[in-house]
Amino acid sequence: MALTESEYIWMDGARVPWREAQVHVLSHGLHYGTGVFEGIRAYPTADGPALLRLDEHLDRLFRSAKMLRMTLPHGKEELREATLELVRANGHRSCYVRQLAHLGYGVMGVDPTGASVHVSIASWEWGAYLDGADRGVRLMTSSWRRNDPSVVPTAAKATGPYLNSALAKLEARDAGFDEAVLLSTDGYVSECSGENIFIRRGDVLYTPPSSAGALEGITQDSVTALATDLGLTVRRENLLRSDLYAADEMFLCGTAAEVTPVRSVDNREIGEPGPVTGKIRDAFTAAVTGADERYRHWLTYVG
Protein backbone atom coordinates (compact mmCIF):
# COMPACT_ATOMS: atom_id res chain seq x y z
CA MET A 1 0.00 0.00 0.00
CA ALA A 2 1.56 3.26 -1.14
CA LEU A 3 2.41 5.93 1.41
CA THR A 4 0.94 9.42 1.27
CA GLU A 5 3.79 11.69 2.26
CA SER A 6 3.38 14.28 4.98
CA GLU A 7 5.54 17.31 5.66
CA TYR A 8 7.44 16.20 8.76
CA ILE A 9 8.69 13.18 10.69
CA TRP A 10 9.89 13.42 14.29
CA MET A 11 13.32 11.81 14.78
CA ASP A 12 15.36 11.66 17.99
CA GLY A 13 13.89 14.82 19.45
CA ALA A 14 13.39 17.05 16.41
CA ARG A 15 11.06 17.40 13.42
CA VAL A 16 12.74 16.87 10.06
CA PRO A 17 11.36 17.06 6.52
CA TRP A 18 9.78 13.75 5.44
CA ARG A 19 12.43 12.96 2.80
CA GLU A 20 15.28 13.69 5.21
CA ALA A 21 14.18 11.09 7.76
CA GLN A 22 16.95 8.57 7.10
CA VAL A 23 18.98 5.92 8.94
CA HIS A 24 22.35 4.30 8.21
CA VAL A 25 22.30 1.11 6.11
CA LEU A 26 24.33 -0.64 8.81
CA SER A 27 21.77 0.03 11.53
CA HIS A 28 21.38 -3.02 13.76
CA GLY A 29 17.59 -2.93 13.48
CA LEU A 30 17.74 -3.14 9.67
CA HIS A 31 19.87 -6.29 9.77
CA TYR A 32 18.43 -8.13 12.77
CA GLY A 33 14.91 -6.78 13.29
CA THR A 34 15.74 -5.22 16.66
CA GLY A 35 12.97 -2.68 17.00
CA VAL A 36 9.54 -2.10 18.46
CA PHE A 37 6.69 -0.02 17.15
CA GLU A 38 3.13 1.18 17.63
CA GLY A 39 0.36 2.24 15.28
CA ILE A 40 -2.26 4.77 16.37
CA ARG A 41 -5.11 6.42 14.51
CA ALA A 42 -6.28 9.99 14.88
CA TYR A 43 -9.96 10.54 14.09
CA PRO A 44 -11.91 13.67 13.16
CA THR A 45 -14.21 14.89 15.94
CA ALA A 46 -16.32 17.96 16.58
CA ASP A 47 -13.43 19.26 18.71
CA GLY A 48 -10.73 18.57 16.15
CA PRO A 49 -8.57 15.49 15.54
CA ALA A 50 -8.14 13.09 18.45
CA LEU A 51 -5.81 10.14 18.92
CA LEU A 52 -7.42 6.89 20.04
CA ARG A 53 -5.96 5.49 23.27
CA LEU A 54 -2.63 7.24 22.88
CA ASP A 55 -1.48 6.49 26.44
CA GLU A 56 -2.21 2.78 26.14
CA HIS A 57 -0.22 2.60 22.92
CA LEU A 58 2.73 4.39 24.52
CA ASP A 59 2.57 2.08 27.53
CA ARG A 60 2.75 -0.94 25.20
CA LEU A 61 5.68 0.60 23.32
CA PHE A 62 7.63 0.81 26.57
CA ARG A 63 6.62 -2.73 27.58
CA SER A 64 7.75 -4.04 24.20
CA ALA A 65 11.08 -2.24 24.52
CA LYS A 66 11.58 -3.68 28.00
CA MET A 67 11.02 -7.22 26.67
CA LEU A 68 13.74 -6.61 24.06
CA ARG A 69 16.04 -5.05 26.70
CA MET A 70 15.92 -1.69 24.94
CA THR A 71 16.02 1.47 27.04
CA LEU A 72 14.22 4.28 25.23
CA PRO A 73 16.08 7.61 25.38
CA HIS A 74 12.82 9.58 25.69
CA GLY A 75 10.18 9.44 28.40
CA LYS A 76 6.51 8.74 27.87
CA GLU A 77 5.44 12.36 28.31
CA GLU A 78 8.02 13.56 25.79
CA LEU A 79 6.82 11.04 23.20
CA ARG A 80 3.22 11.89 23.98
CA GLU A 81 3.76 15.59 23.34
CA ALA A 82 5.95 14.90 20.31
CA THR A 83 3.14 12.83 18.78
CA LEU A 84 0.58 15.59 19.30
CA GLU A 85 2.94 18.26 17.97
CA LEU A 86 3.69 16.20 14.86
CA VAL A 87 0.03 15.68 14.00
CA ARG A 88 -0.53 19.43 14.46
CA ALA A 89 2.50 20.33 12.34
CA ASN A 90 1.40 18.01 9.54
CA GLY A 91 -2.07 19.55 9.59
CA HIS A 92 -3.94 16.25 9.73
CA ARG A 93 -7.66 16.06 10.38
CA SER A 94 -7.35 12.28 10.55
CA CYS A 95 -4.27 10.12 10.13
CA TYR A 96 -2.27 7.06 11.10
CA VAL A 97 0.70 7.49 13.44
CA ARG A 98 3.67 5.11 13.51
CA GLN A 99 6.02 5.26 16.50
CA LEU A 100 9.22 3.27 16.08
CA ALA A 101 12.22 2.57 18.29
CA HIS A 102 15.13 0.69 16.73
CA LEU A 103 18.76 -0.11 17.38
CA GLY A 104 21.00 2.00 15.20
CA TYR A 105 24.50 2.22 13.78
CA GLY A 106 27.62 1.37 15.78
CA VAL A 107 27.82 -2.38 16.32
CA MET A 108 27.45 -5.38 14.04
CA GLY A 109 26.67 -8.98 14.89
CA VAL A 110 23.73 -10.59 16.61
CA ASP A 111 24.81 -9.25 20.02
CA PRO A 112 23.23 -5.77 20.21
CA THR A 113 25.25 -4.63 23.23
CA GLY A 114 26.35 -1.04 22.73
CA ALA A 115 23.96 -0.22 19.90
CA SER A 116 22.29 3.17 20.16
CA VAL A 117 18.50 3.42 20.41
CA HIS A 118 16.72 5.75 17.99
CA VAL A 119 13.07 6.81 18.13
CA SER A 120 10.96 8.20 15.32
CA ILE A 121 7.32 9.20 14.89
CA ALA A 122 5.62 9.52 11.51
CA SER A 123 2.06 10.44 10.59
CA TRP A 124 0.24 10.16 7.27
CA GLU A 125 -3.26 9.96 5.87
CA TRP A 126 -4.35 6.33 5.49
CA GLY A 127 -7.74 4.99 4.46
CA ALA A 128 -9.09 1.46 4.66
CA TYR A 129 -6.34 -1.05 5.40
CA LEU A 130 -8.05 -4.09 3.84
CA ASP A 131 -9.64 -4.13 0.41
CA GLY A 132 -13.33 -4.94 0.45
CA ALA A 133 -13.73 -3.94 4.09
CA ASP A 134 -17.32 -2.75 3.62
CA ARG A 135 -18.68 -5.96 2.09
CA GLY A 136 -16.42 -8.26 4.09
CA VAL A 137 -13.01 -9.77 3.43
CA ARG A 138 -12.05 -13.29 2.33
CA LEU A 139 -9.56 -15.17 4.50
CA MET A 140 -7.43 -18.25 4.06
CA THR A 141 -5.57 -20.29 6.65
CA SER A 142 -1.86 -19.82 6.05
CA SER A 143 0.60 -22.69 5.81
CA TRP A 144 2.86 -20.58 8.02
CA ARG A 145 2.32 -20.92 11.78
CA ARG A 146 2.27 -17.95 14.14
CA ASN A 147 5.44 -17.26 16.09
CA ASP A 148 5.40 -19.25 19.31
CA PRO A 149 5.65 -17.27 22.59
CA SER A 150 8.53 -19.53 23.64
CA VAL A 151 10.49 -18.57 20.50
CA VAL A 152 10.01 -14.79 20.48
CA PRO A 153 7.95 -12.68 22.90
CA THR A 154 4.69 -12.39 20.97
CA ALA A 155 3.43 -9.96 23.62
CA ALA A 156 5.98 -7.46 22.26
CA LYS A 157 5.08 -5.51 19.15
CA ALA A 158 8.54 -6.07 17.72
CA THR A 159 9.67 -5.47 14.15
CA GLY A 160 11.60 -8.67 13.39
CA PRO A 161 8.79 -11.16 14.10
CA TYR A 162 6.58 -9.41 11.53
CA LEU A 163 8.42 -11.34 8.81
CA ASN A 164 6.02 -14.09 9.88
CA SER A 165 3.08 -11.83 9.02
CA ALA A 166 4.57 -10.70 5.72
CA LEU A 167 5.04 -14.28 4.50
CA ALA A 168 1.47 -15.19 5.43
CA LYS A 169 0.09 -12.06 3.78
CA LEU A 170 1.94 -12.73 0.54
CA GLU A 171 0.72 -16.31 0.50
CA ALA A 172 -2.89 -15.20 0.92
CA ARG A 173 -2.61 -12.48 -1.73
CA ASP A 174 -1.04 -14.86 -4.25
CA ALA A 175 -3.90 -17.32 -3.66
CA GLY A 176 -6.51 -14.62 -4.33
CA PHE A 177 -7.57 -13.90 -0.74
CA ASP A 178 -7.61 -10.63 1.18
CA GLU A 179 -5.94 -11.76 4.39
CA ALA A 180 -4.34 -14.75 6.13
CA VAL A 181 -5.28 -16.54 9.34
CA LEU A 182 -2.32 -17.92 11.27
CA LEU A 183 -2.58 -20.88 13.62
CA SER A 184 -0.37 -21.43 16.65
CA THR A 185 2.16 -24.25 16.70
CA ASP A 186 -0.48 -26.20 18.70
CA GLY A 187 -3.03 -25.72 15.92
CA TYR A 188 -5.19 -23.10 17.62
CA VAL A 189 -6.33 -19.93 15.89
CA SER A 190 -3.95 -17.09 16.73
CA GLU A 191 -4.64 -13.97 14.66
CA CYS A 192 -4.36 -12.61 11.14
CA SER A 193 -1.25 -11.01 9.71
CA GLY A 194 -2.04 -7.71 11.42
CA GLU A 195 -5.44 -8.05 13.14
CA ASN A 196 -7.11 -9.79 16.04
CA ILE A 197 -10.02 -12.13 15.31
CA PHE A 198 -13.53 -12.23 16.79
CA ILE A 199 -16.25 -14.75 16.02
CA ARG A 200 -19.86 -14.83 17.18
CA ARG A 201 -21.50 -18.09 18.06
CA GLY A 202 -24.98 -17.61 19.43
CA ASP A 203 -24.96 -14.77 21.95
CA VAL A 204 -21.25 -15.00 22.71
CA LEU A 205 -18.21 -13.38 21.09
CA TYR A 206 -14.93 -15.31 21.18
CA THR A 207 -11.40 -14.05 20.55
CA PRO A 208 -8.13 -16.02 20.86
CA PRO A 209 -5.98 -15.50 23.96
CA SER A 210 -2.41 -14.24 24.02
CA SER A 211 -1.23 -17.77 24.86
CA ALA A 212 -2.08 -18.68 21.24
CA GLY A 213 0.46 -16.10 20.05
CA ALA A 214 -2.09 -13.34 19.47
CA LEU A 215 -0.99 -9.81 20.28
CA GLU A 216 -2.95 -8.26 23.14
CA GLY A 217 -4.60 -5.72 20.88
CA ILE A 218 -5.68 -2.31 22.08
CA THR A 219 -8.47 -2.26 19.49
CA GLN A 220 -9.32 -5.80 20.64
CA ASP A 221 -9.67 -4.42 24.17
CA SER A 222 -11.80 -1.52 22.90
CA VAL A 223 -14.10 -3.89 21.02
CA THR A 224 -14.43 -6.06 24.12
CA ALA A 225 -15.55 -3.03 26.13
CA LEU A 226 -17.99 -1.91 23.43
CA ALA A 227 -19.47 -5.39 23.06
CA THR A 228 -19.88 -5.75 26.83
CA ASP A 229 -21.69 -2.42 26.99
CA LEU A 230 -23.97 -3.69 24.21
CA GLY A 231 -24.93 -6.57 26.49
CA LEU A 232 -22.80 -9.23 24.79
CA THR A 233 -20.66 -11.82 26.52
CA VAL A 234 -17.01 -11.85 25.37
CA ARG A 235 -14.69 -14.77 26.06
CA ARG A 236 -10.98 -15.18 25.35
CA GLU A 237 -10.66 -18.86 24.58
CA ASN A 238 -8.69 -21.13 22.29
CA LEU A 239 -10.42 -21.60 18.93
CA LEU A 240 -9.96 -24.30 16.35
CA ARG A 241 -9.93 -23.69 12.63
CA SER A 242 -13.32 -25.42 12.45
CA ASP A 243 -14.72 -22.86 14.91
CA LEU A 244 -14.13 -20.21 12.26
CA TYR A 245 -15.99 -22.25 9.65
CA ALA A 246 -18.98 -22.66 11.96
CA ALA A 247 -19.13 -19.01 13.11
CA ASP A 248 -22.42 -17.11 12.87
CA GLU A 249 -20.41 -13.93 12.30
CA MET A 250 -16.74 -13.05 12.16
CA PHE A 251 -14.78 -9.83 12.08
CA LEU A 252 -11.23 -8.58 12.42
CA CYS A 253 -10.01 -5.59 14.39
CA GLY A 254 -6.85 -3.56 14.73
CA THR A 255 -5.59 0.00 14.61
CA ALA A 256 -5.14 -0.08 10.84
CA ALA A 257 -8.07 -2.41 10.04
CA GLU A 258 -10.44 -0.89 12.64
CA VAL A 259 -13.50 -3.24 12.60
CA THR A 260 -13.60 -5.27 9.37
CA PRO A 261 -16.26 -7.94 8.68
CA VAL A 262 -15.28 -11.34 7.25
CA ARG A 263 -17.25 -12.94 4.41
CA SER A 264 -15.51 -16.30 4.16
CA VAL A 265 -12.69 -18.46 5.51
CA ASP A 266 -11.02 -21.03 3.25
CA ASN A 267 -13.97 -20.67 0.85
CA ARG A 268 -16.48 -21.50 3.60
CA GLU A 269 -19.06 -18.74 3.37
CA ILE A 270 -19.97 -16.85 6.51
CA GLY A 271 -22.08 -14.35 4.62
CA GLU A 272 -22.60 -10.62 4.48
CA PRO A 273 -21.70 -8.51 7.54
CA GLY A 274 -24.01 -9.62 10.35
CA PRO A 275 -26.11 -7.57 12.79
CA VAL A 276 -23.70 -7.83 15.73
CA THR A 277 -20.74 -6.84 13.58
CA GLY A 278 -22.77 -3.87 12.38
CA LYS A 279 -23.63 -2.80 15.92
CA ILE A 280 -20.01 -3.02 17.01
CA ARG A 281 -18.82 -1.06 13.96
CA ASP A 282 -21.37 1.65 14.69
CA ALA A 283 -20.42 1.74 18.36
CA PHE A 284 -16.73 1.92 17.44
CA THR A 285 -17.33 4.82 15.04
CA ALA A 286 -19.33 6.69 17.68
CA ALA A 287 -16.58 6.15 20.24
CA VAL A 288 -13.61 7.19 18.10
CA THR A 289 -15.31 10.30 16.73
CA GLY A 290 -16.35 11.50 20.19
CA ALA A 291 -20.07 11.10 19.47
CA ASP A 292 -20.49 8.71 22.42
CA GLU A 293 -19.56 10.55 25.60
CA ARG A 294 -18.96 7.31 27.50
CA TYR A 295 -15.69 6.75 25.64
CA ARG A 296 -14.28 10.26 25.48
CA HIS A 297 -11.59 9.18 27.97
CA TRP A 298 -10.16 7.07 25.12
CA LEU A 299 -9.45 10.21 23.09
CA THR A 300 -6.50 12.57 23.32
CA TYR A 301 -7.32 15.76 21.42
CA VAL A 302 -4.59 17.26 19.31
CA GLY A 303 -5.74 20.76 20.24
Side-chain angles (χ1 to χ4, degrees), residues 17 45 51 65 71 80 86 90 130 142 145 160 226 237 274:
T45 78
L51 288 151
T71 300
R80 189 179 194 274
L86 180 71
N90 282 333
L130 293 171
S142 177
R145 293 297 177 104
L226 293 168
E237 294 183 5

Side-chain angles (χ1 to χ4, degrees), residues 26-29 31-35 65 67-71 102-117:
L26 294 182
S27 293
H28 197 276
H31 291 258
Y32 301 108
T34 44
M67 285 183 240
L68 269 62
R69 299 176 66 176
M70 294 172 61
T71 300
H102 74 278
L103 297 186
Y105 173 82
V107 302
M108 188 52 68
V110 172
D111 182 1
T113 303
S116 56
V117 179

Side-chain angles (χ1 to χ4, degrees), residues 144-161:
W144 297 99
R145 293 297 177 104
R146 171 55 82 211
N147 297 316
D148 191 274
S150 66
V151 176
V152 293
T154 53
K157 197 171 176 68
T159 59

Side-chain angles (χ1 to χ4, degrees), residues 9-299:
I9 289 177
W10 187 93
M11 290 190 73
D12 295 326
R15 287 199 308 271
V16 299
W18 178 281
R19 295 259 172 160
E20 295 178 19
Q22 301 173 359
V23 298
H24 198 284
V25 295
L26 294 182
S27 293
H28 197 276
L30 180 61
H31 291 258
Y32 301 108
T34 44
V36 296
F37 71 98
E38 281 296 322
I40 311 172
R41 274 197 188 266
Y43 288 92
T45 78
D47 298 311
L51 288 151
L52 179 63
R53 303 193 69 172
L54 171 60
D55 290 315
E56 289 89 339
H57 281 284
L58 286 170
D59 288 341
R60 190 171 63 182
L61 181 73
F62 278 85
R63 287 198 305 272
S64 296
K66 183 178 181 180
M67 285 183 240
L68 269 62
R69 299 176 66 176
M70 294 172 61
T71 300
L72 301 189
H74 307 278
K76 177 183 173 180
E77 286 305 314
E78 183 180 358
L79 294 183
R80 189 179 194 274
E81 187 54 38
T83 301
L84 296 172
E85 287 181 357
L86 180 71
V87 175
R88 282 195 292 266
N90 282 333
H92 296 305
R93 182 161 157 49
S94 62
C95 65
Y96 179 89
V97 176
R98 172 59 58 91
Q99 298 159 324
L100 171 70
H102 74 278
L103 297 186
Y105 173 82
V107 302
M108 188 52 68
V110 172
D111 182 1
T113 303
S116 56
V117 179
H118 298 272
V119 181
S120 59
I121 308 170
S123 65
W124 65 90
E125 295 179 5
W126 204 5
Y129 179 66
L130 293 171
D131 295 336
D134 289 334
R135 66 182 183 276
V137 295
R138 299 174 64 248
L139 310 183
M140 67 164 281
T141 303
S142 177
S143 65
W144 297 99
R145 293 297 177 104
R146 171 55 82 211
N147 297 316
D148 191 274
S150 66
V151 176
V152 293
T154 53
K157 197 171 176 68
T159 59
Y162 268 81
L163 174 60
N164 180 230
S165 293
L167 290 171
K169 183 77 171 185
L170 286 170
E171 182 182 41
R173 284 288 192 186
D174 288 347
F177 294 86
D178 300 307
E179 182 57 293
V181 176
L182 290 105
L183 306 181
S184 71
T185 52
D186 293 328
Y188 294 113
V189 175
S190 180
E191 59 181 5
C192 288
S193 71
E195 307 88 16
N196 290 109
I197 296 170
F198 279 85
I199 68 167
R200 178 180 70 81
R201 193 165 59 214
D203 296 327
V204 180
L205 286 178
Y206 297 88
T207 188
S210 57
S211 58
L215 183 71
E216 292 185 0
I218 293 170
T219 308
Q220 179 191 40
D221 181 71
S222 301
V223 166
T224 298
L226 293 168
T228 301
D229 289 344
L230 287 169
L232 298 164
T233 300
V234 183
R235 295 178 182 164
R236 296 196 181 199
E237 294 183 5
N238 280 324
L239 298 173
L240 296 170
R241 183 172 169 178
S242 55
D243 291 321
L244 305 186
Y245 300 160
D248 297 319
E249 294 182 52
M250 181 176 174
F251 62 88
L252 312 179
C253 71
T255 296
E258 301 172 281
V259 178
T260 299
V262 173
R263 292 183 64 191
S264 68
V265 183
D266 296 334
N267 292 317
R268 275 80 166 180
E269 291 297 320
I270 295 173
E272 297 296 321
V276 171
T277 301
K279 288 179 182 178
I280 289 173
R281 283 185 102 182
D282 290 345
F284 183 80
T285 300
V288 302
T289 58
D292 192 330
E293 292 284 342
R294 292 175 296 173
Y295 306 103
R296 283 181 72 92
H297 62 284
W298 287 353
L299 303 178

